[in-house]
Amino acid sequence: MSFIFTLKFLKIASASVVIFVLLDFFWLAVIASNLYRQSLGYLAELDPDGKIIFNIPMGLLAQVAISITLSVFISLVLQIDNRLSVALGTGTFLGLMMYVTYDFTNLSFVKGWPLWISLIDVTWGAVQGALAGLYVFYFTRWF
């Protein structure tokens, strides 16, 4: 546990945050932008062109929290079993579970929340987690 209070972990977590935020920005702004706007636009504030106006500080805070959580748990698991497959499995599971928690909570009470959006979003969470497993694994060797 003391590993997470080291300079090495601070470097791993910082680099992970940058990569996670960039990947999520690419996902939200380029790949899935139209999908989310068409399916969830009724919940969002839209600009005159119909694009979703994001609350950047809150979005960044959520992304940083997810990224640091992934970095902590993947790094701790690697202290016990230092294999790429373990990092990938841990990251995939954590990403999946974090996104399931968010999306399925929305399904439970947000009127009109589409199941298929949740399935896509949960898949993206698993991918983000797997990618975190990959780069955290290599960061533990590089830093």
Side-chain angles (χ1 to χ4, degrees), residues 40-102:
L40 301 172
Y42 71 97
L43 294 171
E45 182 179 358
L46 303 175
D47 70 11
D49 296 325
K51 294 182 180 176
I52 294 175
I53 299 172
F54 287 96
N55 182 334
I56 300 296
M58 289 297 102
L60 282 174
L61 185 61
Q63 291 170 332
V64 168
I66 293 168
S67 178
I68 290 173
T69 301
L70 287 164
S71 296
V72 165
F73 284 98
I74 294 166
S75 294
L76 289 175
V77 167
L78 287 172
Q79 298 297 305
I80 299 165
D81 190 348
N82 196 1
R83 292 181 293 147
L84 179 58
S85 61
V86 171
L88 291 172
T90 301
T92 301
F93 178 74
L94 287 169
L96 177 78
M97 290 298 106
M98 283 190 277
Y99 279 68
V100 159
T101 301
Y102 169 77

Side-chain angles (χ1 to χ4, degrees), residues 20-37:
F20 187 94
V21 169
L22 289 173
L23 288 171
D24 220 42
F25 175 79
F26 184 70
W27 170 257
L28 292 170
V30 178
I31 297 173
S33 175
N34 289 333
L35 179 96
Y36 286 121
R37 185 178 68 248

